[in-house]
Amino acid sequence: MDEPLPIDTGTSAEGQVPLAPTDPVARVLIDHPVPHLARTFDYAVPEKLAEAALPGVRVRVKFAGKLRDGYLLERVESSDHIGPLATIQRISGPVQVLSEDLLALCEAVARRYGGTLADVLRLAIPPRHARGEKAVLKAEKAGKSADPAAAETENPVTGPDDGPADDPQLLNRLGEWVLTAGEEPTSDERAAQPRRRALACTPGPTPGLSWIRAGLDAARATLESGRSVLWLVPDHRELAVLHSTLTHAGIAEVSVLSADQSPELRWQAWLRGLLGHTKITIGTRAAAFAPVADLGLIICTDDANLNFLDQHAPYPHAREVCLLRSTIEDTELFFVSTDRSAEVQRLVEIGWLADVTPVGPARRHAAPVVFVPDEERDPFAWQRIPSRAWQIMRTALRPRPRDGGVPGPVLVQVPRSGYYPVFACARCQEVARCPQCQATLTTQSEVGPFACRSCGYHSETFSCQRCRSNQVRSIVRGRARTVEELARALPDIEIVESGGDHISTALDETPRLVVATTGAEPYVLGGYAAAILLDSLWPGPWMRSIDESVARRLRAASLVRSRDDGGAVYLGDEDELIRQTLTAFDPTTFMSRQLSDRKVLGFPPYRRILELTGAGADIDEMIGEIGEVEELLREDAEDGQRSVSAYPFSAGDRVGTRVAEIIASRSAKKQPQVRVRIDDPRSL
């Protein structure tokens, strides 16, 4: 039998274009939204682009008759493709934006969340801005570290159109206050810190901003060793205050990176980090992937904040990106917050993170005094603003000379608009109560869902026990009504509102009332003299609702001066867990107890969670193909059904990889897609 003739598989290009003399084949990752097409393809490297076509650069290639963006991952000698290869059309900029470390991190995130590498790179690398890139490269060539030209017309923190501008003079005073308050730790104390640690901080000498002092101490030790720092914060308000503090601390070469910036400023900040022009990079969740030359420390502030959860596929959480990055790049890691997330507490308990939270008398003295309603002794404790709250408020605004207190602003925290912590029947005005335990029901809107915090009762519909009506009305007053009541009772006191479209970042120490919705509480120079935390702030019927309630209260209470400086908090919650945690100002003990129950039940964070949303038959098919998950619940959703399954940590990469393969396969077969979310905190 004759041998088959050998096939010439030598590399050639369409149109007989001359190729690069060495490694003429480029493996290009196509930036494509369709899952089965977001992968690598071989392209020929033309001779004219031989020197510019380096691994990590952005390229433009023809794909399915259209020009598309992509990343050149590597150059090789030959291709398995039979026939001529399409050529790279052009190089989009001379900078190798995709480094080996960044590629490894993005691949790890894609495996972790069951997504495509192209989706993760879309989150990790901002769109290119040619003018901004030219300015940075010009500065690089001239030996400078930055080009301030673009920053003259825009705020480097918030961008040109990010709501009302903050008073820069007040931000400067805040930065100076953070630096001058308290004592500076010695170099020996800095060196003694564990490499990976977590801190639940107290107000101390800098109420509301003690996280900056703690992070700054850690950052200085890293900067003194010659390495760089990456610091993540939840939103632009923290970013503005942090930037001001670092500027006043004399730390040069600070780069600010946020999705709120203009495309030009964001790309410039990203490039400066890549080229090593900055020693410290600060930003919101968009900065979790930011390139930092010689990275030595990652700081993540308030890791439980839902702003860190990306709303674009594959929906990564910045905390998990930090954990992966610290492992891949072998860096120090520091989680600092006023509360303690379940994920961080689990890492503390297994010994991966060291807990450096102060305990005992030191912690109690650094926190404000917390008062709770006493129905037995105070006959007016049931009122919207009880007599004890009025007393605390007046004492803080106008302390008597014999008390020796320093007057200051008073924070009045009210629920978010549209949230019904307590509601009643719209027909008979009867307060809605749980049919199982008779505790008050709570809902997020007039149409539900309705749930009980005491026994866990949950229902999608409401029926009044007295008149059987299905209509509800709120009996908790919002921010506007609260302001009216305070204005009538204290007509000569200034009232400032913060919430909705008008959220203040910082205020001065003038004695006034500050009425703010949850999460919109401004920072105050010197801290609030007192806080009145009205109504219950239960966020809804989900597993982490009590965690979120405690976190919201602790964040507000941390803005108040310590008890040694006369700070006081009136807590209106009836929940005993919230009262105990706030009174002791001890979130670590609270979370440790919560985790003991979840560990027995096999709930997160002791297992990972896979949420699938789509048609029931498609969900069943995917779960059958994955094979390593246990379905916990199935319920109807707007676009079909929602299924939540659990799987062990040991199967993490396998499940993530398998999910991505199934999604790509379904895409190639043009089957209906199922939306996938892994470890979404609100899945249960």
Side-chain angles (χ1 to χ4, degrees), residues 83-150:
L85 295 172
T87 59
I88 295 175
Q89 297 298 300
R90 67 172 181 266
I91 307 297
S92 301
V95 183
Q96 294 171 269
V97 294
L98 185 56
S99 64
E100 291 183 6
D101 284 342
L102 181 56
L103 177 60
L105 175 62
C106 292
E107 289 174 337
V109 172
R111 289 193 300 271
R112 169 76 169 78
Y113 288 96
T116 67
L117 179 58
D119 281 343
V120 180
L121 286 173
R122 217 170 289 130
L123 304 178
I125 304 178
R128 178 176 178 257
H129 192 283
R131 186 177 62 189
E133 180 177 293
K134 195 174 296 184
V136 173
L137 294 180
K138 183 179 179 181
E140 164 89 355
K141 189 174 182 180
K144 300 176 182 178
S145 62
D147 179 19

Side-chain angles (χ1 to χ4, degrees), residues 235-307:
D235 61 37
H236 70 90
R237 294 190 302 154
E238 281 77 19
L239 198 59
V241 179
L242 176 59
H243 186 256
S244 173
T245 304
L246 293 175
T247 301
H248 284 85
I251 299 178
E253 302 174 346
V254 177
S255 183
V256 181
L257 188 62
S258 168
D260 294 326
Q261 292 173 305
S262 67
E264 181 175 359
L265 281 182
R266 188 180 177 197
W267 185 238
Q268 282 187 325
W270 200 91
L271 280 182
R272 285 197 293 270
L274 178 68
L275 298 174
H277 292 179
T278 62
K279 296 302 291 183
I280 180 166
T281 299
I282 63 175
T284 53
R285 70 167 183 253
F289 296 92
V292 180
D294 197 16
L295 180 61
L297 170 68
I298 301 173
I299 303 174
C300 184
T301 302
D302 192 13
D303 69 284
N305 196 302
L306 287 178
N307 285 334

Side-chain angles (χ1 to χ4, degrees), residues 177-433:
W177 169 57
V178 172
L179 295 172
T180 55
E183 296 181 357
E184 192 70 19
T186 64
S187 57
D188 292 339
E189 289 173 335
R190 290 190 194 129
Q193 294 287 357
R195 291 192 76 239
R196 295 187 174 108
R197 55 197 182 275
L199 169 67
C201 53
T202 52
T206 53
L209 297 173
S210 52
W211 59 270
I212 294 186
R213 284 198 59 83
L216 191 58
D217 295 338
R220 277 177 172 158
T222 302
L223 295 173
E224 288 170 2
S225 69
R227 305 194 71 185
S228 302
V229 176
L230 173 63
W231 194 335
L232 302 185
V233 295
D235 61 37
H236 70 90
R237 294 190 302 154
E238 281 77 19
L239 198 59
V241 179
L242 176 59
H243 186 256
S244 173
T245 304
L246 293 175
T247 301
H248 284 85
I251 299 178
E253 302 174 346
V254 177
S255 183
V256 181
L257 188 62
S258 168
D260 294 326
Q261 292 173 305
S262 67
E264 181 175 359
L265 281 182
R266 188 180 177 197
W267 185 238
Q268 282 187 325
W270 200 91
L271 280 182
R272 285 197 293 270
L274 178 68
L275 298 174
H277 292 179
T278 62
K279 296 302 291 183
I280 180 166
T281 299
I282 63 175
T284 53
R285 70 167 183 253
F289 296 92
V292 180
D294 197 16
L295 180 61
L297 170 68
I298 301 173
I299 303 174
C300 184
T301 302
D302 192 13
D303 69 284
N305 196 302
L306 287 178
N307 285 334
F308 280 130
L309 181 64
D310 208 300
Q311 297 306 309
H312 299 88
Y315 315 106
H317 195 290
R319 175 188 55 242
E320 305 304 315
V321 177
C322 290
L323 289 168
L324 289 169
R325 186 167 186 176
S326 175
T327 303
I328 292 171
E329 300 188 34
D330 190 26
T331 71
E332 294 185 34
L333 183 60
F334 186 28
F335 290 105
V336 56
S337 179
T338 54
D339 63 324
R340 176 58 58 82
S341 68
E343 288 75 12
V344 167
Q345 183 64 22
R346 185 189 74 86
L347 293 174
V348 167
E349 294 185 357
I350 66 175
W352 200 86
L353 286 174
D355 195 353
V356 295
T357 300
V359 296
R363 183 169 186 83
R364 286 193 295 272
H365 283 286
V369 179
V370 178
F371 298 93
V372 297
D374 188 345
E375 290 80 3
E376 295 181 359
R377 297 184 179 181
D378 184 1
F380 302 102
W382 58 272
Q383 291 183 333
R384 162 71 169 166
I385 303 180
S387 57
R388 187 59 180 275
W390 285 112
Q391 179 186 353
I392 292 172
M393 202 181 304
R394 291 189 174 101
T395 301
L397 292 168
R398 296 168 178 164
R400 293 174 297 185
R402 69 183 183 207
D403 294 334
V406 178
V410 174
L411 171 66
V412 180
Q413 186 192 56
V414 296
R416 294 178 185 272
S417 59
Y419 173 71
Y420 294 9
V422 181
F423 66 95
C425 172
R427 179 188 294 172
C428 68
Q429 314 303 314
E430 182 79 5
V431 174
R433 296 194 176 274

